[in-house]
Amino acid sequence: MKNQIPWIVLLVFFTSFQWAAFTNAQHANSFPFGKKLAPNGVFIPDRNEAIGQTYSDNGVFKATYSIGNVTDENRELTGFTLSKEDQPVYGMDILPGADLLVSNSGMVAVFDMDLHFKQQVTVHLYDPAGSPVKSKTFSYASLFGFAPKGNTFVAGTDRTLMVMDLANNRSVNLGSCSQYAFSDDESWLITAREDKIWLYKGLELEAEINTALFYPRAVAVDPDLGLAIVVGKKELKAYQLSDHTLRYESCAPANASYRDVMVCGGLVYAGIHDRQDGVSKGIVRT
């Protein structure tokens, strides 16, 4: 079988442990949230995206485009079309940027990197019909993304995390971070940096928690489980939203490291990178 990789699933029920092994083919159907695990332990969309295609996370919207002139730090995107469920919605002859993101509601963010030598990126935001919503230039930005519902855009710089409500034209500046994640209903936001996580409810700071994980790699928050989760290189820690205490912690297997974390269907899925004898494979722990 082509690219067959062994996958290990650990089901944690807090009081007992159950093991199961899956082949790569079985794994392709094992996640209910439209993701698969890459060999480096990071969750990626469970679909084949061709060059010149960008999907929303929910797969409802698809952007297609052609790549024109390319330099070391930039490229030209032409012939853009946004489709919803394979039906064209609108198009542009030339996009004002070198890369793009598509949200679950059909919002599009286009990244203009012409001033990359000044550490600046200009983001052009468009609504689902193609009308311009906002353009903003960020300096020293390293985090960009949309919230799950698709109408909130996030940009993180060395000084702040800006949360932009595009539907109501409102913005909130939170503390800077290296990782962030919304709950599916966007009622909670978790951010992380160095040895701390911050929990926001309705974008109001609820708690600051010392984790002793100095290089957080991924975070997740789920109000149904009542948990906020953070992973470092070797440790996973889950904290209760109710009183912010540590609920449980777990260590990565020997010769492996945590890379990603997600929550779905009442389970916490942790992506682990295992590299032995020069070969990388992904392990998922739930």
Side-chain angles (χ1 to χ4, degrees):
M1 184 178 296
K2 185 178 180 181
N3 296 328
Q4 183 167 332
I5 301 171
W7 307 90
I8 299 173
V9 177
L10 170 62
L11 301 180
V12 180
F13 298 109
F14 305 113
T15 58
S16 64
F17 297 89
Q18 181 177 351
W19 290 88
F22 292 83
T23 67
N24 189 38
Q26 291 169 317
H27 166 266
N29 298 317
S30 62
F31 293 153
F33 46 79
K35 300 286 186 179
K36 60 184 177 181
L37 197 67
N40 65 353
V42 175
F43 294 108
I44 60 175
D46 190 7
R47 56 177 171 261
N48 295 318
E49 292 189 13
I51 295 174
Q53 294 181 348
T54 299
Y55 286 81
S56 59
D57 281 346
N58 59 10
V60 173
F61 295 91
K62 179 176 73 173
T64 57
Y65 45 89
S66 299
I67 299 173
N69 297 325
V70 177
T71 66
D72 289 342
E73 300 289 345
N74 220 334
R75 63 179 183 172
E76 181 182 64
L77 303 182
T78 62
F80 168 86
T81 299
L82 181 73
S83 299
K84 180 180 181 181
E85 297 177 339
D86 295 325
Q87 298 299 313
V89 179
Y90 71 91
M92 296 185 194
D93 292 335
I94 300 177
L95 283 180
D99 209 348
L100 67 148
L101 292 174
V102 181
S103 84
N104 287 337
S105 69
M107 292 276 189
V108 175
V110 180
F111 299 90
D112 180 350
M113 303 178 188
D114 285 346
L115 297 179
H116 64 87
F117 57 91
K118 293 185 178 180
Q119 303 297 322
Q120 293 182 348
V121 176
T122 298
V123 182
H124 305 286
L125 294 156
Y126 299 88
D127 71 14
S131 298
V133 175
K134 182 187 289 288
S135 294
K136 188 171 181 61
T137 299
F138 298 92
S139 298
Y140 299 98
S142 59
L143 293 175
F144 294 104
F146 284 102
K149 294 181 181 179
N151 296 314
T152 297
F153 183 74
V154 175
T157 71
D158 60 333
R159 295 178 180 273
T160 185
L161 183 75
M162 178 176 284
V163 181
M164 304 165 64
D165 180 348
L166 302 178
N168 298 298
N169 195 29
R170 293 197 299 260
S171 297
V172 176
N173 288 318
L174 307 177
S176 64
C177 63
S178 60
Q179 302 290 337
Y180 77 91
F182 286 90
S183 60
D184 285 343
D185 63 2
E186 298 184 12
S187 62
W188 287 84
L189 169 67
I190 179 174
T191 67
R193 187 185 66 188
E194 295 172 352
D195 61 345
K196 293 182 176 63
I197 59 172
W198 289 264
L199 302 178
Y200 297 88
K201 187 176 183 180
L203 296 183
E204 295 291 334
L205 182 62
E206 182 84 6
E208 176 182 319
I209 301 173
N210 292 314
T211 65
L213 300 179
F214 288 92
Y215 299 101
R217 293 186 165 188
V219 291
V221 60
D222 187 270
D224 293 331
L225 283 179
L227 294 177
I229 307 104
V230 56
V231 296
K233 183 176 181 179
K234 299 298 294 184
E235 293 180 88
L236 178 150
K237 294 186 177 183
Y239 296 87
Q240 296 191 146
L241 296 180
S242 57
D243 58 10
H244 318 135
T245 57
L246 182 66
R247 174 71 176 273
Y248 67 88
E249 57 186 322
S250 175
C251 292
N255 303 315
S257 60
Y258 283 113
R259 291 297 307 275
D260 209 350
V261 65
M262 296 187 69
V263 178
C264 184
L267 291 175
V268 177
Y269 292 78
I272 297 174
H273 178 219
D274 185 16
R275 183 175 177 84
Q276 299 186 47
D277 299 326
V279 177
S280 291
K281 65 180 178 180
I283 296 172
V284 63
R285 171 175 284 182
T286 67

